[in-house]
Amino acid sequence: MAMGIGAGTAEAIISPPSGTLLLGPILPSTGVHDDLYARALVLSDGGAAVALVSLDLVGLSIGLSDEIRSAVRRRRPEVGTVLLLCSHTHSAPFTIPWSVLGWEWLAGAGRAWREALVAAVAGAVDAAFGRLCRVTLSAGRAPARVGTNRRLQTPDGVKMLPNPEGAVVPWTDVLRVDDDAGRTVVVLFSHAAHPVIVHGASTLISADYSGHAVAAVREHLGPHVVALFAQGCGGNVNGDPLRGGHEAAEAAGRALGEAA
């Protein structure tokens, strides 16, 4: 590619099958409320290339991260850096080393899904690289808040309880990618809050509020837009209301998506 910045994007559904253990309820899933996705954005200056992959997953073990990166580079050795961004939804499989339950599922009944996940991410990055076109990048920030601090100072010490006066990150940061015709084709946006508005309130697979935020961005800008969510530093910020269910997650997500 000649001088300038090129970008390409692609996405793939990565929802696991029913019966998958979910982190929030710590129970087998009973179906899919809304699909989980892997969404890839590849940026290149004609020499170096970087892939950013947004995943509707709670997180990744180091081993699984390495496996995904290796699969990407086998398909596209031109991509030197692969950044894996997990939304941290709790309505997803155990893909982090948090419980023996997760390891058992990934090594047993979930092995086929794990292999399909690796292939899906590598395929999405491959497809995104193949769609590189000249673009313009811009960035911005807008007020947004879907969470509440979860550390409260009490006479008995610090408790994990809602703290409305506690620290939060009340904004969304946005990277917009426009093609040569001035049409927005990609929006990468971040926010800092655990996607736990569904959490244990349902045994249905869901991207929680971040999935609804992506949907709102696409409704506003057009179905051709690929929107990627990046979880910020939400360590002690829970999506609000905790365990509020799918309708509450949709309301919070739509508000965040409109801000983005």
Side-chain angles (χ1 to χ4, degrees):
M1 178 171 293
M3 291 289 290
I5 295 293
T9 188
E11 59 185 5
I13 294 174
I14 56 170
S15 301
S18 294
T20 297
L21 274 174
L22 301 183
L23 184 85
I26 316 183
L27 289 169
S29 67
T30 55
V32 177
H33 179 273
D34 52 286
D35 277 312
L36 308 182
Y37 278 83
R39 297 180 172 98
L41 168 63
V42 173
L43 298 172
S44 174
D45 63 359
V50 57
L52 296 87
V53 184
S54 175
L55 296 157
D56 291 325
L57 295 175
V58 66
L60 295 170
S61 68
I62 293 173
L64 185 50
S65 296
D66 288 345
E67 190 175 340
I68 290 171
R69 289 190 174 97
S70 294
V72 168
R73 289 172 181 141
R74 283 195 298 271
R75 296 279 289 271
R76 285 292 182 179
E78 306 96 323
V79 179
T81 301
V82 181
L83 302 177
L84 303 174
L85 320 170
C86 291
S87 72
H88 198 57
T89 175
H90 286 206
S91 299
F94 283 80
T95 48
I96 55 175
W98 185 72
S99 166
V100 68
L101 297 174
W103 291 121
E104 290 176 347
W105 181 78
L106 280 174
R111 178 179 290 277
W113 174 80
R114 173 186 172 132
E115 293 173 355
L117 169 68
V118 173
V121 175
V125 174
D126 184 26
F129 192 93
R131 297 169 184 165
L132 285 173
C133 63
R134 190 184 306 279
V135 297
T136 300
L137 307 180
S138 56
R141 172 176 288 179
R145 176 176 175 178
V146 304
T148 299
N149 189 282
R150 66 181 186 183
R151 285 292 189 274
L152 181 66
Q153 181 70 54
T154 75
D156 298 321
V158 177
K159 305 288 186 181
M160 187 178 280
L161 294 169
N163 179 10
E165 305 304 318
V168 295
V169 182
W171 61 70
T172 177
D173 286 319
V174 180
L175 175 71
R176 193 181 78 215
V177 181
D178 295 341
D179 64 17
D180 267 355
R183 185 179 71 155
T184 300
V185 291
V186 180
V187 173
L188 169 65
F189 66 105
S190 69
H191 190 60
H194 285 246
V196 291
I197 297 179
V198 178
H199 191 52
S202 172
T203 54
L204 295 177
I205 292 161
S206 174
D208 208 280
Y209 77 78
S210 60
H212 295 292
V214 165
V217 170
R218 298 182 84 162
E219 287 176 18
H220 186 68
L221 296 176
H224 66 280
V225 172
V226 175
L228 296 84
F229 173 78
Q231 181 58 248
C233 297
N236 277 321
V237 182
N238 272 346
D240 195 9
L242 175 64
R243 301 185 188 91
H246 293 289
E247 289 187 7
E250 181 175 2
R254 292 192 69 83
L256 174 61
E258 287 296 326

